[in-house]
Amino acid sequence: MSAMVPIEPARAVTTTAFRAMKAAQRPIAMITAYDTPSARLVDEAGVDAILVGDSLGMTVLGFDSTLPVTLDDMLRHTAAVTRGAKRALVVADMPFMSFQVSEEDALRAAGRLVAEGGASAVKLEGGAHVATTVKRLVQAGIPVMGHVGLTPQSVNQLGGYKVQARDAEAAATLVDDCLALQDAGAFAIVLECIPAELASLVSRELAVPTIGIGAGEGCDGQVQVFHDLLGLGGDFLPRHAKRYADVGTLVREAVTAYADDVRDRAFPGEEQSAHMDAATLEAVRAARGRHLRRVSGSGTEA
Ligand code: KIV
């Protein structure tokens, strides 16, 4: 049974609040959002953190992986989210190749996500090999969330979207990766698609919170993709996700009703219409008539 941390609904969530929530064993609720209206809704629903994930490549932009997502995409969507979120901590994903080439690139990209996008923190994929980059960002005052296990930007190397760290050697490496990220100053670490037992062990080992997705209930928090939870992602639902609402069906039904109304001339009705008085209408007709005479016939004025 977890104790509730007294975090006021109106108070903005900070990265230090993440530590406090872990200390109080108060699970952290995080969800993705990619635009202003969805950010406003999840913020009003009271989540602790919003991830502007590079999953936007699939959920919103129609790609089949996160790899084509650019820094400009992330900047545009992060800014849209921060305009909609008043309370939740907004974390922006660092897209593929925005941090892998050099620490300078990483610093510039993360700086833009914070300064232009308004994010309070960034997330980047990888373990010990990105620890020096994480350290550099943290030293520059940019809070960093780590991300290990199934790291979608490495899908071509991992051979698909599969559960990671199943054997003892890979599990030990994952624990070392988490410790390296924590030492480098990461304020939290996403554990994606790893065995629940391993995620529980790591969560107990670390001082910083773990945020699970497909990593069981033993993590300090959970993150899920907005479109998966709401039935907006088509028929496919990842095994780790649960559909809390079928918004896709609601949208389809509502838009079908609208299109039917348009075709039946039942929309717009009186309530959606504005009117002008008869004299003004007559004046418009008269002016229009003169205009028609001017442009008709041989092209000379009537
Ligand atoms: O991009 C994303 O949405 C993510 C989550 C799946 C953790 O990285």
Side-chain angles (χ1 to χ4, degrees), residues 10-297:
R11 198 194 309 157
V13 180
T14 60
T15 53
T16 47
F18 264 50
R19 279 246 190 176
M21 287 188 264
K22 174 161 179 138
Q25 295 177 23
R26 144 67 154 85
I28 299 163
M30 185 170 192
I31 189 167
T32 66
Y34 312 97
D35 57 25
T36 305
S38 60
R40 191 179 299 128
L41 288 172
V42 302
D43 195 63
E44 287 167 2
V47 295
D48 301 304
I50 299 174
L51 172 64
V52 191
D54 59 357
S55 50
L56 88 87
M58 286 113 113
T59 55
V60 173
L61 301 179
F63 295 119
D64 62 3
S65 79
T66 61
L67 300 178
V69 175
T70 64
L71 182 60
D72 282 343
D73 292 332
M74 291 308 304
L75 283 168
R76 175 57 65 99
H77 286 269
T78 301
V81 166
T82 55
R83 284 193 285 271
K86 299 279 169 277
R87 178 182 170 276
L89 181 85
V90 176
V91 181
D93 239 338
M94 299 199 63
F96 185 55
M97 285 301 129
S98 68
F99 63 93
Q100 290 93 339
V101 177
S102 72
E103 287 172 22
E104 285 67 31
D105 272 4
L107 202 48
R108 261 189 291 273
R112 290 189 68 192
L113 288 166
V114 172
E116 297 170 36
S120 295
V122 299
K123 174 170 84 57
L124 56 88
E125 296 182 8
H129 64 285
V130 296
T132 53
T133 303
V134 170
K135 192 168 183 175
R136 188 87 187 267
L137 300 188
V138 173
Q139 279 168 346
I142 301 171
V144 179
M145 180 174 272
H147 183 164
V148 298
L150 172 53
T151 45
Q153 289 175 15
S154 306
V155 62
N156 291 320
Q157 208 162 36
L158 300 176
Y161 298 99
K162 308 173 190 162
V163 174
Q164 300 296 306
R166 278 184 183 279
D167 63 58
E169 193 186 337
T173 303
L174 185 131
V175 176
D176 289 344
D177 282 340
C178 289
L179 290 170
L181 291 169
Q182 174 172 276
D183 289 349
F187 75 95
I189 301 175
V190 169
L191 305 178
E192 179 164 355
C193 291
I194 62 169
E197 297 77 8
L198 177 63
S200 293
L201 184 148
V202 169
S203 304
R204 282 196 298 273
E205 191 85 10
L206 294 178
V208 298
T210 58
I211 309 293
I213 174 164
E217 55 78 41
C219 299
D220 301 304
Q222 299 290 332
V223 60
Q224 283 286 313
V225 170
F226 182 88
H227 291 63
D228 292 340
L229 297 198
L230 299 178
L232 288 168
D235 290 336
F236 175 71
L237 183 68
R239 173 148 183 258
H240 59 67
K242 175 173 162 185
R243 191 161 286 176
Y244 282 85
D246 190 359
V247 178
T249 297
L250 280 180
V251 171
R252 220 175 289 114
E253 285 173 0
V255 176
T256 301
Y258 159 71
D260 287 348
D261 276 0
V262 169
R263 290 172 192 135
D264 295 344
R265 297 191 183 281
F267 178 89
E270 260 314 291
E271 277 171 40
Q272 293 88 24
S273 304
H275 296 285
M276 63 170 39
D277 60 54
T280 310
L281 179 60
E282 198 37 52
V284 173
R285 270 208 192 102
R288 186 72 188 152
R290 276 200 300 280
H291 175 68
L292 282 176
R293 278 198 298 282
R294 266 202 302 277
V295 296
S296 63

